[in-house]
Amino acid sequence: MPTSPVKTRIPLTSFGHLITEVKRQLLGIEAPATVELTGWRKHFNTYTLQGRRNCVLVTYGALVLTAAAYMMIRRNKEEKTGAKPASP
Amino acid sequence: MALNFFDQFMSPTYLGIPLIALALSLPWVLFPTPSSRWLNNRLLTLQGWFINRFTQQMLLPLNLGGHKWAVLLTSMMIFLVTLKMLGLLPYTFTPTTQLSLNMGFAVPLWLATVVIGLRNQPTVALGHLLPEGTPVVLIPFLIIVETFSLLIRPLALGVRLTANLTAGHLLIQLIATAAFVLLPMMPTVAILTATVLFLLTLLEVAVAMIQAYVFVLLLTLYLQENT
């Protein structure tokens, strides 16, 4: 997509972009090249866009699964508590 | 009926009719409509020049996808600046001191930028939630923090506008009351207080324009991330 001829400003609202620039300019830490990432790190890393997306999706999925498991356990507990007075 | 300092922020009604609608439509009346003439008068030329210049400046960091927002952002800026400047006049009501109005501006516009980002480039939009180069141990924590910072944006936008204007109006009223009360008792102190009031009024004029600009600028930044 064609962009403005003026260099895009780093958005002040994104802390991550600032950290990346600081690491690169002050500390000389460069992101590893894509070819160096092998195995599971090829799909789950914090350097490529796809890697970051996959990490975010896995984190959200883990949160949703944790919440679902908690709700199911709580419902089972309530059912057991509700069933208890009925038994002799 | 004795007035307290917060009565100026109550939404005015007359015989059950909310007057905030009148207050919101006042900026529309104040700006002349461009005519079909080739050369307009000075006022229209100045208005057109300002709008063009402002739009050009606003759209500098945006790509072509964000240029569709030009009319919305420019009209929002002019609307907010006019409402605030009119609100600085004595005995007027400032609609932008109402949190409901500011949240009504902030939430839909912020949500539009998020939905545009998720619809057109979901990978980039989700990738923004994790800073590049994050250590593995910090990944879940930072994702949650960035999600919260994303969700807090509309609240910050609305509350920033409300709080700045409310605090400014309240300060003006307090210092004006102090100057008025001190005048018969200690005229010298009253003159000093009046000087402070004059400087504060100048500051509030600047704050009014800056806060409107910050609101629109942050929206362009959110749009830049998502287009």
Side-chain angles (χ1 to χ4, degrees), chain B residues 94-150:
Chain B
T94 317
T96 45
T97 53
Q98 305 296 304
L99 185 62
S100 52
L101 182 85
N102 294 329
M103 292 300 284
F105 284 141
V107 172
L109 292 172
W110 162 82
L111 194 60
T113 61
V114 170
V115 167
I116 283 171
L118 284 173
R119 184 178 175 272
N120 294 339
Q121 41 186 23
T123 302
V124 174
L126 287 172
H128 276 308
L129 292 172
L130 182 61
E132 201 177 318
T134 308
V136 176
V137 177
L138 290 177
I139 288 174
F141 174 70
L142 268 173
I143 288 173
I144 292 169
V145 164
E146 289 279 339
T147 308
F148 271 123
S149 82
L150 178 74

Side-chain angles (χ1 to χ4, degrees), chain A residues 1-4, chain B residues 55 58-74 113 116 120-121 219-227:
Chain A
M1 186 172 269
T3 55
S4 168
Chain B
T55 311
M58 259 304 114
L59 296 182
L60 269 179
L62 294 175
N63 56 18
L64 279 181
H67 288 188
K68 295 174 197 170
W69 285 58
V71 174
L72 179 66
L73 293 173
T74 310
T113 61
I116 283 171
N120 294 339
Q121 41 186 23
L219 279 174
T220 56
L221 290 179
Y222 301 155
L223 191 62
Q224 184 192 0
E225 280 184 3
N226 290 297
T227 52

Side-chain angles (χ1 to χ4, degrees), chain B residues 86-219:
Chain B
L86 286 173
L88 284 171
L89 297 169
Y91 296 105
T92 55
F93 170 69
T94 317
T96 45
T97 53
Q98 305 296 304
L99 185 62
S100 52
L101 182 85
N102 294 329
M103 292 300 284
F105 284 141
V107 172
L109 292 172
W110 162 82
L111 194 60
T113 61
V114 170
V115 167
I116 283 171
L118 284 173
R119 184 178 175 272
N120 294 339
Q121 41 186 23
T123 302
V124 174
L126 287 172
H128 276 308
L129 292 172
L130 182 61
E132 201 177 318
T134 308
V136 176
V137 177
L138 290 177
I139 288 174
F141 174 70
L142 268 173
I143 288 173
I144 292 169
V145 164
E146 289 279 339
T147 308
F148 271 123
S149 82
L150 178 74
L151 295 174
I152 215 86
R153 279 178 187 177
L155 194 69
L157 273 177
V159 171
R160 183 186 299 112
L161 213 53
T162 310
N164 268 291
L165 257 75
T166 308
H169 281 69
L170 217 51
L171 261 177
I172 285 175
Q173 188 164 3
L174 283 169
I175 293 178
T177 310
F180 185 69
V181 164
L182 285 170
L183 194 59
M185 293 188 293
M186 291 182 276
T188 318
V189 177
I191 289 168
L192 283 172
T193 314
T195 312
V196 170
L197 177 65
F198 174 70
L199 293 171
L200 183 65
T201 308
L202 289 178
L203 176 69
E204 282 305 310
V205 168
V207 162
M209 290 191 280
I210 287 167
Q211 286 304 318
Y213 176 67
V214 162
F215 187 90
V216 174
L217 181 70
L218 284 173
L219 279 174

